[in-house]
Amino acid sequence: MTGARERGAVLYAAAGLLVAGGATWWFLSAPPDRADDQVQVWRTAAERELPDTDTQADAGTMALAPGAEQSFETSVETGEYLVSVICRGGPESYVRVSLSQSGRDSGRGLYCSAERPPYSFRVGLGDAMRLHVMVSDKGPVVFRYSVRRVSA
């Protein structure tokens, strides 16, 4: 009886090692996450096409999921500013950018899939710049903005 128990224990241990080895092989042989690679490519493109400058008051880059909403706020001195925005993403992806956090203004739609240059506009600001970004259901996307004071 003792020999049968030992053989059974050896069989169970061998089966356990086989399952553990198979699971390890399964996870290690999985292809890398291409979505993360693509988001990094989009981030690099957005930062290259709308680079940081010494004269900017603020800038930021963020990866956003499909259907996401994100607000950005920057403290500024009263004056006129040039706000530039760009997004990069897959086919049919777009974002809607508005200057309002309360209420819904119409904002500006930006397609992220095309190789379009940054969209820039001038705005007078009192003490803060507020951007509200809404992503379409075709995401993810990378959104980048820059705020630069316009010289008088």
Side-chain angles (χ1 to χ4, degrees):
M1 191 84 153
T2 306
R5 283 187 182 166
E6 289 175 3
R7 280 192 297 267
V10 168
L11 282 176
Y12 281 121
L17 286 173
L18 183 62
V19 169
T24 301
W25 169 82
W26 176 266
F27 286 108
L28 292 177
S29 66
D33 189 358
R34 302 234 186 267
D36 288 344
D37 292 345
Q38 185 60 62
V39 167
Q40 186 58 43
V41 167
W42 293 333
R43 177 183 297 274
T44 301
E47 290 174 347
R48 182 185 63 245
E49 294 170 42
L50 186 57
D52 286 331
T53 66
D54 293 339
T55 61
Q56 70 193 23
D58 191 32
T61 307
M62 182 174 278
L64 300 169
E69 291 190 35
Q70 179 68 43
S71 293
F72 301 91
E73 185 169 338
T74 301
S75 295
V76 295
E77 295 177 7
T78 300
E80 187 177 12
Y81 289 83
L82 182 68
V83 178
S84 300
V85 294
I86 192 170
C87 68
R88 290 292 174 251
E92 299 179 29
S93 62
Y94 66 92
V95 299
R96 180 151 297 281
V97 180
S98 63
L99 293 174
S100 166
Q101 286 182 307
S102 61
R104 298 282 182 184
D105 63 23
S106 61
R108 168 80 178 178
L110 298 173
Y111 285 95
C112 304
S113 57
E115 294 297 320
R116 299 173 192 231
Y119 175 72
S120 298
F121 56 93
R122 287 180 182 228
V123 63
L125 299 172
D127 62 347
M129 187 281 307
R130 293 176 186 88
L131 283 176
H132 187 74
V133 180
M134 295 178 289
V135 182
S136 70
D137 60 352
K138 306 284 187 199
V141 301
V142 172
F143 176 79
R144 178 161 173 79
Y145 72 94
S146 174
V147 180
R148 187 171 52 90
R149 178 119 189 207
V150 176
S151 299

